[in-house]
Amino acid sequence: DGAVVGWGSLYPFNARQAYDYVADFSIYVARARRGQGIGSVLLEGLTSRARDLGYHKLVLAALPFNTAGKALYSSAGFREVGIYREQGKLDGNWVDILVMEKIL
C-alpha cells in the first residue's frame, strides 16, 4: 500500500583511510511487520550494495537482547565479536552493545 515498513543504511565504519573497506550498517523494521522477511530482504540488499561499493567487511552494533536481530545476522553469516559494556543508554539505563562482523 506504499507504506514504509523498514529501512536500511550503509555507511563507512570510520573516516580514517585504514578503514576504507569496512562498512557499518543499520536495519529497522516496523514492529507490526517484523517476522515477515523484511529484515532479510534489507540485509541482502545492503550486503549486495556493500560488495558493489568495494567493501571487504560489514560490522554492526546491536542490543544483546535483540534476539530476532541476532538470529537474522547469524543466519546471514555474521559472527559475534564481543560486547561493549555500558556503551549506551536506553530508557535511562546503561546498556551493553553486541558487536558482530562478516567478511564479504
Side-chain angles (χ1 to χ4, degrees):
D1 63 1
V4 175
V5 296
W7 60 263
S9 62
L10 182 68
Y11 41 93
F13 171 72
N14 188 302
R16 294 184 63 197
Q17 186 177 12
Y19 302 106
D20 280 353
Y21 300 97
V22 181
D24 197 349
F25 72 94
S26 295
I27 289 177
Y28 177 80
V29 176
R31 289 189 191 279
R33 298 298 299 270
R34 293 180 184 168
Q36 299 175 9
I38 296 166
S40 295
V41 171
L42 290 170
L43 183 53
E44 288 172 18
L46 288 175
T47 301
S48 176
R49 182 71 177 138
R51 283 189 178 107
D52 290 347
L53 291 170
Y55 284 108
H56 172 71
K57 178 179 177 177
L58 286 176
V59 296
L60 68 96
L63 295 167
F65 50 82
N66 178 355
T67 55
K70 284 189 343 185
L72 170 65
Y73 305 133
S74 294
S75 71
F78 286 80
R79 72 176 191 98
E80 295 186 18
V81 176
I83 299 283
Y84 289 127
R85 299 288 176 211
E86 298 184 5
Q87 183 76 359
K89 275 197 167 182
L90 181 64
D91 298 327
N93 298 307
W94 288 106
V95 292
D96 296 341
I97 299 296
L98 170 67
V99 180
M100 298 181 79
E101 69 179 3
K102 178 180 179 174
I103 303 296
L104 301 176

